[in-house]
Each structure stands twice: as structure tokens, then as C-alpha cells.
């Protein structure tokens, strides 16, 4: 399935059920689309495809969206790329077109953006990175920007680094926290049931939001997500937060084993 192709009737039924299930539990369903770096298509074609795909999701009840420009090598026609000025320029242009369209059809919709350099190890000095500087200068302030920290999986995310990035982006970032993620070829061999050390309510206060990428194991992920909520949002001790979550969610025998 190419990103711009509509979902089939079977797929739409599954997505509609998933969206309704999330909403019934008070969860905002966020749909992420990775339109790729390719500049070989005209601006008009890209914008038409984005409207068509996100419009299909709007009809299914989704009203929160993300355009994800991460982890795809840049490709495309140099002639088309020159129209945008840079890769950041292309991504900003497509995002602004999407935002303008959303404001007309779903004024309460929220739009997120994942940059190509989405962590410190990719960006280097954030206040010298051309891509991030162009985002700060040109991207509409209503668009939230994802950031994973100093690395893809950051051991610590500090107030200082968040404030420095916010100055470049001209908005607080939304942290996409991969501390527990085990979806990669190496990490998929492990369960990451660990205390959410290296995060703080002080750092959270300098962001527009904090999202945790869970493990592949949905049930076990509840442990670290509950512990993270307690620790990062309320300032509880990370080790105590995980122990409390384990005893709250697990049978006594399993809680004793995990403790």
C-alpha cells in the first residue's frame, strides 16, 4: 500500500472500529502519515493526495493528524526540489497546505509534524541545524513538532535541552519518548520493563506534550506507561512508581516476580 492510496472497505471498517474504541476510553486517536521525501511529484499532486487520504480518515471519525518525515532517505527530482528551496521547504509547504485545508473542514483538528532530524544525534547542534532553523522561521506555530531527545532512545531528557530546542523551533516541542520501545531489529528481543528514570515533571512543563512509545507487548506496556504517568506528570520516584504500577496491575505472584 502506497501512502497516498485510499484504504479498502475492509481496512476502513477496522480503522473506524479502532477509532471508536479509542474514543470510548477517552483516548484521542492520532493518525500519522509518512508522505516521504520524494519531490518528484508536483505540489498540486502532493496536496491532492494528502487531502484525499486525510479526508478519508476524517470521515472515519479521526480529527488529529501527524505528517511524519523521519527515517526515509531523501529522493526526488532536483527540478521539483528547487521549487521548494530545500527539503525543509518542501515539508513545510505540504504541511501548510494540509493545515489550511484542515482549518476549513475540521477547525478543531490538531496537526503534528516529525522533522527529518528528530533527535540530537541526527541534528548535531540544534541552533546550527539548517533544517530545524527553517522550521522555526517558517512553520506555522499551530503545528506541533515531535522530538525524541538527545538520541532516538534517550536515557535522559532535561529541561536545558528542551528549552534550547524550543528557542530554535520557536515553540515547545512534543516529546516522543522511545525509552520503552522495542520495535527495532535489536530491541525486539527484549522486554523494557524499567523505571522511567531521566524524565521529570520540570521537563514536561517546558513541552507541549509528552508521548510514550510503548513496547510491542500491549498488556505489559501498561506497567511502564502507568509508572511514567505517575513519575513524569506528578514527580513520583521512578522506581517507586514502577513498583506501584506492578502491584496495581499484576496478580500478586507476577508482581512479586517483577519486583
Amino acid at each position: 500500500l502506497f501512502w497516498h492510496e485510499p484504504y479498502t472497505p475492509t481496512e476502513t471498517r477496522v480503522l473506524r472500529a479502532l477509532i471508536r474504541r479509542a474514543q470510548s476510553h477517552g483516548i484521542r486517536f492520532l493518525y500519522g502519515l509518512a508522505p516521504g521525501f520524494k519531490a518528484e511529484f508536483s505540489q498540486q499532486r502532493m496536496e491532492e493526495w494528502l487531502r484525499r487520504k486525510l479526508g478519508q480518515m476524517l470521515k472515519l471519525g479521526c480529527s488529529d493528524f501527524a505528517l511524519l518525515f523521519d527515517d526515509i532517505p531523501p529522493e526526488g527530482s532536483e527540478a521539483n526540489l528547487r521549487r521548494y528551496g530545500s527539503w525543509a521547504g518542501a515539508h513545510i509547504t505540504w504541511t501548510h497546505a494540509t493545515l489550511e485545508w484542515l482549518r476549513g473542514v475540521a477547525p478543531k483538528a490538531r496537526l503534528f509534524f516529525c522533522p527529518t532530524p528528530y533527535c540530537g544525534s541526527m541534528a548535531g547542534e540544534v541552533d546550527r541545524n539548517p533544517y530545524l532553523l527553517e522550521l522555526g522561521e517558517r512553520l506555522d506555530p499551530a503545528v506541533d513538532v515531535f522530538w525524541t531527545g538527545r538520541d532516538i532512545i534517550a536515557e535522559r531528557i532535561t529541561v536545558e535541552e528542551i528549552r534550547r530546542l524550543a528557542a530554535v523551533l520557536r515553540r515547545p516541542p512534543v516529546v516522543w519518548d522511545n525509552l520503552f520501545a522495542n520495535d527495532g531489529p535489536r530491541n525486539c528481543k527484549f522486554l523494557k520493563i524499567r523505571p522511567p528514570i531521566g524524565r521529570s515533571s520540570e521537563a514536561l512543563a517546558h513541552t507541549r506534550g509528552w508521548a510514550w512509545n510503548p513496547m510491542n507487548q500491549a498488556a505489559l506496556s501498561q506497567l511502564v506507561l502507568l509508572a511514567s504517568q505517575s513519575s513524569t506528570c506528578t514527580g513520583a520516584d521512578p522506581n517507586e512508581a514502577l513498583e506501584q504500577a506492578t502491584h496495581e496491575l499484576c496478580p500478586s505472584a507476577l508482581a512479586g516476580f517483577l519486583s
Side-chain angles (χ1 to χ4, degrees):
L1 179 68
F2 291 105
W3 69 266
H4 52 80
E5 292 181 353
Y7 289 111
T8 66
T10 299
E11 290 167 335
T12 56
R13 285 194 294 270
V14 173
L15 284 167
R16 182 182 288 110
L18 179 60
I19 293 168
R20 289 177 176 174
R21 181 69 177 271
Q23 293 171 342
S24 70
H25 289 281
I27 298 172
R28 296 177 64 172
F29 184 94
L30 174 66
Y31 176 79
L33 183 65
F37 290 75
K38 289 195 174 182
E40 63 189 31
F41 305 116
S42 68
Q43 181 177 338
Q44 180 180 0
R45 177 66 61 84
M46 289 293 296
E47 293 174 5
E48 288 175 354
W49 281 343
L50 286 165
R51 289 194 297 267
R52 182 176 67 180
K53 194 62 173 280
L54 299 188
Q56 188 179 29
M57 295 303 298
L58 275 173
K59 292 178 181 178
L60 298 180
C62 180
S63 60
D64 296 291
F65 303 96
L67 297 182
L68 309 173
F69 298 104
D70 58 304
D71 295 339
I72 307 174
E75 300 175 0
S77 161
E78 289 298 324
N80 276 327
L81 180 58
R82 281 196 294 270
R83 300 176 185 176
Y84 301 108
S86 65
W87 287 115
H91 301 164
I92 292 167
T93 299
W94 302 334
T95 301
H96 283 172
T98 301
L99 181 64
E100 182 180 1
W101 170 75
L102 281 173
R103 283 170 169 165
V105 298
K108 294 183 179 180
R110 191 173 178 184
L111 186 60
F112 295 79
F113 179 103
C114 186
T116 303
Y118 57 87
C119 64
S121 61
M122 295 179 180
E125 296 293 327
V126 294
D127 47 11
R128 297 182 181 179
N129 183 279
Y131 185 106
L132 296 179
L133 288 168
E134 187 169 354
L135 284 190
E137 292 171 1
R138 296 184 53 203
L139 188 64
D140 192 294
V143 180
D144 290 310
V145 179
F146 287 132
W147 186 256
T148 67
R150 297 179 186 178
D151 213 330
I152 298 173
I153 302 176
E155 289 299 317
R156 294 187 177 277
I157 301 177
T158 66
V159 172
E160 291 73 21
E161 64 183 281
I162 293 295
R163 292 178 65 180
R164 185 180 181 190
L165 176 66
V168 174
L169 296 178
R170 304 186 189 185
R171 77 204 73 201
V174 174
V175 171
W176 180 302
D177 198 335
N178 286 319
L179 184 65
F180 310 115
N182 65 349
D183 55 343
R186 291 182 297 176
N187 288 316
C188 67
K189 302 174 184 178
F190 305 100
L191 295 176
K192 292 196 171 183
I193 304 175
R194 55 184 296 190
I197 295 172
R199 284 89 180 117
S200 69
S201 56
E202 291 80 11
L204 172 63
H206 286 81
T207 71
R208 278 192 181 171
W210 202 294
W212 287 274
N213 191 3
M215 296 183 290
N216 289 332
Q217 295 73 23
L220 288 175
S221 290
Q222 295 178 54
L223 300 175
V224 293
L225 293 176
L226 181 59
S228 296
Q229 181 187 38
S230 176
S231 175
T232 307
C233 296
T234 69
D237 177 87
N239 291 287
E240 293 177 1
L242 180 59
E243 184 174 358
Q244 182 178 346
T246 300
H247 286 282
E248 181 177 335
L249 296 175
C250 297
S252 56
L254 179 58
F257 173 77
L258 292 175
S259 297

